[in-house]
Amino acid sequence: MEHILGWPRPASQMTPDCEPVTDAHLKSRMKTIDFGPFNATCYDLFGKVLKRALDKVGVENPGLLAALSTEGALCCRFIRGSHVPSNHSWGCAIDLKVSGVLVPLGADWTLKGLMDLYPYLHAEKIYSGMGYKHRKDSMHFEASEELILGWKAANLL
């Protein structure tokens, strides 16, 4: 992310806590989007892709869409316990809840609703933290490298 989009704020100012994006170009790309049952602020291109996926969920599984809410998207910080920026720092990730339930970080279980949602997001090249090897994060969905490289190739950044 940092090689393609740049740092959302100077590395020396990153912390484990949510901070605002200070890079002027990235800040201008952050948009608050109405996804139906919730709003979230994210990178505009990520928001468009996520909205397209959730609009399809709304047509094919309106009960699932209605049950979704978010724990947040844009949150400029390091990944907990590291000095690596979270993809939330660029507004290219979102944490989702189903019926108000948030799967805790590291849980060895997930929610059926998140499993049902995954094919819609995967079709849009959004990756799930369910597949993380070392620390499961099934609430977490982020723009895949393929998606970001596609934006770069199309000169959309």
Side-chain angles (χ1 to χ4, degrees), residues 13-91:
Q13 295 177 8
M14 294 286 288
T15 72
D17 301 313
C18 286
E19 301 287 347
V21 172
T22 59
D23 177 84
H25 175 70
L26 285 172
K27 190 175 182 177
S28 74
R29 300 293 298 261
M30 300 303 160
K31 305 296 179 207
T32 300
I33 298 172
D34 179 354
F35 293 102
F38 63 88
N39 294 338
T41 301
C42 50
Y43 191 76
D44 57 355
L45 297 174
F46 180 71
K48 286 179 185 178
V49 170
L50 183 60
K51 178 129 179 72
R52 188 169 49 236
L54 294 180
D55 284 350
K56 189 169 184 181
V57 172
V59 169
E60 295 180 8
N61 191 341
L64 175 58
L65 180 65
L68 294 178
S69 59
T70 185
E71 194 65 14
L74 179 61
C75 178
C76 191
R77 64 170 175 78
F78 286 129
I79 294 171
R80 308 273 186 242
S82 80
H83 282 59
V84 175
S86 166
N87 281 3
H88 288 282
S89 299
W90 290 272

Side-chain angles (χ1 to χ4, degrees), residues 53-155:
L54 294 180
D55 284 350
K56 189 169 184 181
V57 172
V59 169
E60 295 180 8
N61 191 341
L64 175 58
L65 180 65
L68 294 178
S69 59
T70 185
E71 194 65 14
L74 179 61
C75 178
C76 191
R77 64 170 175 78
F78 286 129
I79 294 171
R80 308 273 186 242
S82 80
H83 282 59
V84 175
S86 166
N87 281 3
H88 288 282
S89 299
W90 290 272
C92 288
I94 191 165
D95 292 337
L96 295 173
K97 301 185 280 189
V98 179
S99 300
V101 177
L102 182 71
V103 178
L105 179 64
D108 62 357
W109 56 272
T110 192
L111 300 169
K112 181 182 182 315
L114 293 176
M115 295 294 295
D116 292 344
L117 178 64
Y118 181 68
Y120 294 95
L121 299 179
H122 183 74
E124 295 291 343
K125 300 180 180 149
I126 296 175
Y127 183 79
S128 168
M130 289 180 227
Y132 290 170
K133 291 181 184 178
H134 301 293
R135 185 168 67 170
K136 302 290 185 206
D137 195 2
S138 69
M139 70 178 135
H140 180 86
F141 296 89
E142 67 184 35
S144 67
E145 183 177 349
E146 181 183 5
L147 181 57
I148 294 163
L149 290 174
W151 295 337
K152 182 180 179 186
N155 293 316

